[in-house]
Amino acid sequence: MQKARIAVLISGRGSNMAALLYAAKAADCPFEIVLVAADSPDAAGLRLAEGEGIPALGFPKPTGKDKSQFFEALDLQIRKSGADYIALAGFMRILPSSFVGGWEGRMLNIHPSLLPKYKGLDTHKRALEAGDSHAGCSVHIVTAELDDGPVLGQTPVAILPGDTEDALAARILIAEHQLYSRVLAEYVQRDSQPEAILAQVRERAMALPRAEETLSHGMPCFGIEKGKKFAYFTKDHHGDGITALIVKTTGEEEQAMLIEEDPDLYYRPAYFGPSGWIGIRLDGGATDWDHVRDRLETSWRLIAPRKLADVF
Ligand code: GRF
């Protein structure tokens, strides 16, 4: 199993980072930690990471002027580490949109509240003052707005009579440590599980005019109602281990050109190859879904009756 590589960003004690790091020690954990970076060389979590043999970097605290340089240097180091994803774990910096944009959909954060409640700081205090029955924690995708991206998982934590901020925070932290590794594991696997990949294909194929889904020889496929097929989804066909989309090209010339251009992405599929269809691998990890959408549309156009193609 190819494990997803994670860079963890911390500011302080790094207990969530430690929880991720120890979860990653399980042989079947789908992620590994390749870098721990902090916005100060004194962050306690860095010592723990070093002790566990994980590359650990403490950047000098950025001051007003050099904030953008700090994020450029951080981004460079993260990319050098080979990380596929970033996990923010108590990283107390507002992220510039340029940094967030470079990791769109590949940066997660843990926040000690049941989002969308209590974004920002003092979450435990605010939950206590509001008289809530439950506080909790959330893992979400990071977007340019603070603590605002889509929530991937949450754990409610009961507020007990006489709770103080510290007592509540300590219980929520236990929940955080459980939640983060579980959600991160699910998230990094979403692009490698055939069912999840098919769902992504389906969403795009079915958005085309008069598309319908059927099965052909056990393969989910997409066609135009009462018409021809424009795409086939193949998963481990005859044990080939490949998850891919098969779509039509203009012919064998285009097919050969595409394969030459990117032999890791394209291949000549068995049976379909001689008729100019192309296989697009969807199991390489970082699928470009806009490209898949374009290819589906091209294929749809190649088989659509004139009248239909003209109005679309
Ligand atoms: C956690 O409560 C986390 O939810 C919040 O900051 C705290 C970090 O704690 N974002 P730690 O450094 O992981 O121990």
Side-chain angles (χ1 to χ4, degrees):
M1 171 181 50
Q2 162 97 37
K3 296 194 179 222
R5 290 162 301 216
I6 313 291
V8 188
L9 304 190
I10 61 169
S11 288
R13 73 191 153 181
S15 72
N16 276 288
M17 176 275 294
L20 294 179
L21 191 156
Y22 293 125
K25 288 196 179 201
D28 63 350
C29 181
F31 62 79
E32 60 180 326
I33 310 297
V34 293
L35 176 71
V36 174
D39 56 353
S40 149
D42 305 325
L46 289 175
R47 308 287 90 76
L48 186 144
E50 277 163 9
E52 294 289 349
I54 308 286
L57 285 178
F59 286 83
K61 269 205 164 49
T63 52
K65 266 206 310 280
D66 56 25
K67 209 177 151 207
S68 68
Q69 276 171 9
F70 166 85
F71 277 99
E72 276 167 31
L74 179 63
D75 192 63
L76 185 70
Q77 292 301 330
I78 296 172
R79 291 186 192 278
K80 270 195 185 165
S81 75
D84 308 302
Y85 297 88
I86 296 178
L88 303 180
F91 187 63
M92 304 299 283
R93 298 264 153 208
I94 303 279
L95 307 174
S97 54
S98 54
F99 182 79
V100 177
W103 291 92
E104 200 181 330
R106 290 186 297 139
M107 178 153 50
L108 270 49
N109 180 43
I110 184 143
H111 183 73
S113 80
L114 295 174
L115 290 171
K117 273 190 161 177
Y118 315 132
K119 296 175 183 178
L121 297 173
D122 297 323
T123 55
H124 310 109
K125 182 165 175 239
R126 285 149 75 196
L128 287 169
E129 281 174 1
D132 292 349
S133 68
H134 286 76
C137 50
S138 310
V139 173
H140 65 97
I141 298 176
V142 176
T143 55
E145 286 295 308
L146 181 69
D147 300 328
D148 193 58
V151 171
L152 300 172
Q154 291 187 313
T155 305
V157 171
I159 295 183
L160 305 180
D163 248 348
T164 61
E165 269 181 65
D166 286 351
L168 179 60
R171 278 203 318 289
I172 292 177
L173 199 59
I174 299 172
E176 291 183 34
H177 296 165
Q178 306 290 321
L179 181 72
Y180 210 172
S181 57
R182 183 170 59 73
V183 171
L184 182 59
E186 279 168 13
Y187 192 69
V188 301
Q189 287 183 102
R190 80 201 187 292
D191 265 357
S192 60
Q193 284 165 348
E195 276 315 308
I197 298 174
L198 173 58
Q200 298 262 32
V201 169
R202 179 177 290 130
E203 188 188 315
R204 288 158 180 85
M206 294 302 287
L208 291 161
R210 295 196 26 216
E212 68 172 4
E213 182 176 349
T214 47
L215 275 181
S216 161
H217 301 281
M219 274 190 209
C221 57
F222 301 91
I224 295 180
E225 269 165 26
K226 302 196 188 83
K228 293 185 192 159
K229 311 267 183 284
F230 60 88
Y232 295 81
F233 178 78
T234 165
K235 175 189 90 175
D236 202 22
H237 192 59
H238 294 309
D240 63 5
I242 292 177
T243 303
L245 180 68
I246 299 174
V247 287
K248 203 162 171 52
T249 67
T250 49
E252 283 188 279
E253 207 174 303
E254 188 189 7
Q255 182 199 57
M257 208 181 69
L258 291 170
I259 297 171
E260 195 184 314
E261 240 171 58
D262 195 342
D264 292 334
L265 180 64
Y266 296 111
Y267 70 102
R268 192 171 198 266
Y271 314 112
F272 294 84
S275 341
W277 292 68
I278 190 103
I280 307 176
R281 300 284 299 245
L282 300 174
D283 48 13
T287 298
D288 177 348
W289 287 106
D290 289 339
H291 174 68
V292 171
R293 175 184 289 119
D294 290 349
R295 275 278 149 205
L296 280 165
E297 186 185 323
T298 306
S299 188
W300 180 94
R301 282 189 182 284
L302 286 168
I303 64 116
R306 242 289 180 53
K307 266 197 211 146
L308 187 58
D310 282 351
V311 291
F312 177 46

